[in-house]
Amino acid sequence: MVFLNGEFIEKNQAHISVMDRGFLFGDGVYEVIPVYNNKIFRLNKHLLRLQTSLDSVKIKNPYNSKEWGDILSKLLGFYNNQEQSIYLQISRGVSDKRKHSFNDLTPTVYIESSPLLTKTKQALQAGFAAITQPDIRWHRCDIKSTSLLVNVMYSQQAKEKNVEEVILHRDNQVTEGATSNVFIIKNGMLFTHPTSIHILSGITRDLVLESAKACHIPIKETSFSMSKLNTADELWISSSTREIMPITQVDGKLINCGNIGNVWGCVYDYYQSLKNA
Ligand code: PLP
């Protein structure tokens, strides 16, 4: 079952107009929200970020927080799986003419949920590979927009090269991943790009920082260079579906001789405890 514009229907019955601005222009925003033990994880944070994205592109939020909570709970009621990943998209709606500018429209709301397949700690400890590419995205990466062509092209490149992620850099500074935030540990200190128009402020990013604090790791929210990335003691990426994943190889070169390092384990364990709290 999926949710489309106020109705719970079978996915193969869910259709939208070709005049939907989400289809014509990628004119919409979205959220991906994890569910653990049948509980929606950090729903309020996701709803706050959704509101910020909507405000940035002038789409009216069709529901208040309680209504969102009720819709999502009802949708989850159709699934047995305790671990889910909710995909929620709001486009500006359907217009009668294809025109870049817009009038007041009724937003199109689509929500689906699918099993969240998280990797075990043991599987994560094997470490993963990434490649790097210039960050050629626009200067509003803080908006969780459905216009994702650069992210799509880079993710396809990662798939073709059989690596986990593409790490992006702008002016020689690491920004984030094509679908994740990026962290390094250097001399016991955690570095990650500050929240700005150049990154999406990940909900998991905040949880990584919360977990690092609990592990007494000093945190520097400052950008860091590509050479610092390559000489990091540890490198991780984070997202709602991947959680916190150690990267041990970048552009074919090993990070920390291919060892995942000591800090990741503590931060990962604390994050797991937050999920189960
Ligand atoms: N940055 C980008 C570009 C993303 O696409 C994502 C997630 O899809 C993230 C960061 C991580 O965000 P979150 O932790 O909220 O999933």
Side-chain angles (χ1 to χ4, degrees), residues 123-264:
L124 289 170
Q125 277 165 335
F128 294 84
I131 52 174
T132 61
Q133 284 291 359
D135 194 342
I136 54 172
R137 299 173 303 165
W138 69 332
H139 293 271
R140 287 308 307 272
C141 300
D142 54 319
I143 303 172
K144 202 161 169 63
S145 157
T146 55
S147 303
L148 287 169
L149 256 192
V150 177
N151 313 62
V152 165
M153 297 314 290
Y154 280 162
S155 295
Q156 181 61 18
Q157 211 174 75
K159 182 179 164 189
E160 286 167 7
K161 290 189 184 294
N162 208 16
V163 298
E164 182 64 31
E165 181 60 305
V166 177
I167 294 176
L168 306 174
H169 52 90
R170 199 187 281 272
D171 301 328
N172 196 39
Q173 302 293 303
V174 174
T175 50
E176 61 178 339
T179 58
S180 62
N181 291 113
V182 176
F183 308 80
I184 58 164
I185 299 287
K186 186 74 188 166
N187 300 328
M189 199 172 277
L190 185 150
F191 293 82
T192 194
H193 195 287
T195 54
S196 78
I197 54 169
H198 293 307
I199 68 161
L200 179 77
S201 180
I203 306 300
T204 323
R205 176 186 179 279
D206 285 350
L207 294 166
V208 171
L209 297 183
E210 189 180 329
S211 305
K213 261 183 215 139
C215 295
H216 307 291
I217 312 299
I219 295 166
K220 275 211 152 92
E221 291 185 66
T222 52
S223 59
F224 53 89
S225 66
M226 287 292 284
S227 65
K228 204 157 173 173
L229 175 91
N230 287 314
T231 56
D233 299 327
E234 298 188 27
L235 167 60
W236 320 326
I237 58 170
S238 78
S239 78
S240 291
T241 50
R242 285 194 184 98
E243 302 187 334
I244 314 166
M245 192 175 250
I247 302 291
T248 47
Q249 203 186 99
V250 174
D251 294 331
K253 282 178 257 146
L254 294 179
I255 302 291
N256 189 26
C257 305
N259 299 313
I260 62 164
N262 300 324
V263 184
W264 174 80

